[in-house]
Each structure stands twice: as structure tokens, then as C-alpha cells.
Amino acid sequence: LAKTTQPISMDSYEGQEVNITCSHNNIATNDYITWYQQFPSQGPRFIIQGYKTKVTNEVASLFIPADRKSSTLSLPRVSLSDTAVYYCLVGGQGGGADGLTFGKGTHLIIQP
Amino acid sequence: DTAVSQTPKYLVTQMGNDKSIKCEQNLGHDTMYWYKQDSKKFLKIMFSYNNKELIINETVPNRFSPKSPDKAHLNLHINSLELGDSAVYFCASSPSGQSNYGYTFGSGTRLTVV
């Protein structure tokens, strides 16, 4: 599985757009990029997934450049409730039983 | 209805005891997992079951034994508990054929061994 690198922590303010970048230099051709969010005392929650270019849903956008060696999770107009740990994962369609490999994640802190 | 439910939410016990954590999912998923999150918040997979069959067994002491009576349940039994077993244990499930997304996690069981 491709290894990922992301900042350990980030700070921002309410109403701002937050971009968290993840590096995955060894991403394989069939790998997808997935982001999860984890609040204290809760399990991780799926946010968004993409393979290339841009993906947008009601929560976030995911930008993936052509070489796919990095990706950026974009959270528009964050609020205090977006304070959480965000994990970037890279993996292929391995049949479902491989399990997810989590890195250390990015601890995002939103201030008033 | 909670999609993936774990019980108990908190568990405090003494060293040497045996304890179990239960997990149930009502999503119809074929694959279930146990993850351990330590004090440094590092989340590591322990076991993976697909249709009641063990698929992954990472480097976990054999004091930990998963049991899957049916594909909706995956329980974790821990023998001879040690201080280092203190952590938050998460159960998760996913549909077959999707290794990267579609995972649903439970809210965790915080185990404290004293």
C-alpha cells in the first residue's frame, strides 16, 4: 500500500476555506485516494474519495493533480464543528478484506 | 438505528482478567474488522473477517481472539489483559469488493486496564 504524508496539525478560523494536502509519491495505477474524518470519542467517518482531477460532494472537494502524487482536501467555510483529525488513505480495489491503513492524520483546529 | 454498534462503550478492568467486546452491524456488509487506536491516536487494523472467515490477522498477541457467529457480528475476546492493552477498539464493516471506501466504523470501546 502506498504510504501517505500529511501535516500533523493545522489551525484556521471559522468561515475560512481549509486545504489539507497529502503526499503519496508511490501511488499505484489502480489506487484510489480516500479521506476520513474522526471526531474525539468517535470512529472515523468517510468524507470523500477520488481517482483523478476533482471530486466534490456536499461536505468537501478533493483535488488530484495529473501525476496523482498528492491530493488536497478542501473544506469550504469551516466551522468549529470541523475540528477533527483528517486521514488521507491510498489503496486499490483489493477485494474489501484488506482493511484500511491509517497514517497519523492531520489534527485540524478551528478557532472562533 | 445505529449502523455499527459496539458494547460496552467503556470497560475498566484489572490486569489478568478476560473480557469481551461485542460488535454488530445492520448494513448487510460482508466484511467486518477490528481496529486498535492507542494513546498516540495511531489507528491499526487487528483482524478482518469476510463472511465469517478470518482474512487478516495482523501481528496481534494470541490473547486476542475474534469470533464471528454470523456475518453481522464480530466479537473480540481478550484473555489475560495487560496494561498495554489499554486503548480504544473500533469495529468496522464494509461491503465486499471495496477496500478503500464504504467503511462504517462503530463509536469505539475505551478499554482501560488497571
Side-chain angles (χ1 to χ4, degrees):
Chain A
L1 294 175
K3 183 180 177 181
T4 61
T5 303
Q6 50 184 127
I8 293 175
S9 65
M10 291 181 67
D11 294 317
S12 188
Y13 294 90
E14 283 191 293
Q16 299 295 305
E17 177 184 79
V18 171
N19 296 310
I20 306 174
T21 297
C22 178
S23 296
H24 27 80
N25 292 319
N26 297 322
I27 189 169
T29 302
N30 62 345
D31 282 347
Y32 282 71
I33 300 155
T34 313
W35 286 80
Y36 277 77
Q37 174 192 56
Q38 185 179 23
F39 295 116
S41 302
Q42 294 186 30
R45 182 177 73 104
F46 171 85
I47 301 177
I48 196 167
Q49 184 190 60
Y51 182 81
K52 61 180 179 180
T53 63
K54 176 185 174 182
V55 179
T56 297
N57 61 22
E58 65 277 6
V59 176
S61 294
L62 179 59
F63 298 93
I64 306 168
D67 65 6
R68 304 200 328 122
K69 294 184 183 297
S70 67
S71 59
T72 299
L73 175 72
S74 181
L75 304 172
R77 298 185 59 78
V78 293
S79 63
L80 295 177
S81 62
D82 290 316
T83 294
V85 178
Y86 292 81
Y87 295 96
C88 167
L89 289 82
V90 176
Q93 303 291 313
D98 295 347
L100 298 174
T101 299
F102 287 84
K104 295 183 179 178
T106 297
H107 190 189
L108 175 65
I109 299 172
I110 306 301
Q111 302 182 44
Chain B
D1 284 341
T2 303
V4 179
S5 59
Q6 299 178 225
T7 54
K9 189 170 179 62
Y10 300 97
L11 184 55
V12 181
T13 187
Q14 291 185 328
M15 284 175 57
N17 284 349
D18 303 337
K19 291 293 179 184
S20 293
I21 306 172
K22 296 184 177 181
C23 178
E24 176 182 4
Q25 56 96 2
N26 61 8
L27 299 167
H29 288 168
D30 292 321
T31 309
M32 296 185 70
Y33 313 83
W34 277 108
Y35 280 81
K36 178 181 180 181
Q37 189 165 44
D38 58 25
S39 58
K40 296 182 179 179
K41 306 299 183 184
F42 200 55
L43 198 60
K44 288 187 63 176
I45 188 167
M46 300 174 68
F47 300 102
S48 163
Y49 262 77
N50 184 264
N51 276 319
K52 301 195 299 174
E53 181 181 347
L54 179 65
I55 303 299
I56 294 176
N57 181 354
E58 294 295 318
T59 307
V60 176
N62 57 15
R63 299 182 293 104
F64 290 79
S65 54
K67 293 285 192 301
S68 182
D70 54 64
K71 74 173 192 177
H73 296 84
L74 181 62
N75 304 323
L76 183 64
H77 189 76
I78 315 170
N79 290 326
S80 304
L81 278 156
E82 301 176 357
L83 293 176
D85 297 332
S86 295
V88 181
Y89 293 84
F90 288 99
C91 177
S93 70
S94 74
S96 290
Q98 298 176 6
S99 69
N100 216 23
Y101 59 98
Y103 278 63
T104 303
F105 283 80
S107 57
T109 296
R110 182 175 293 276
L111 172 65
T112 303
V113 182
V114 298

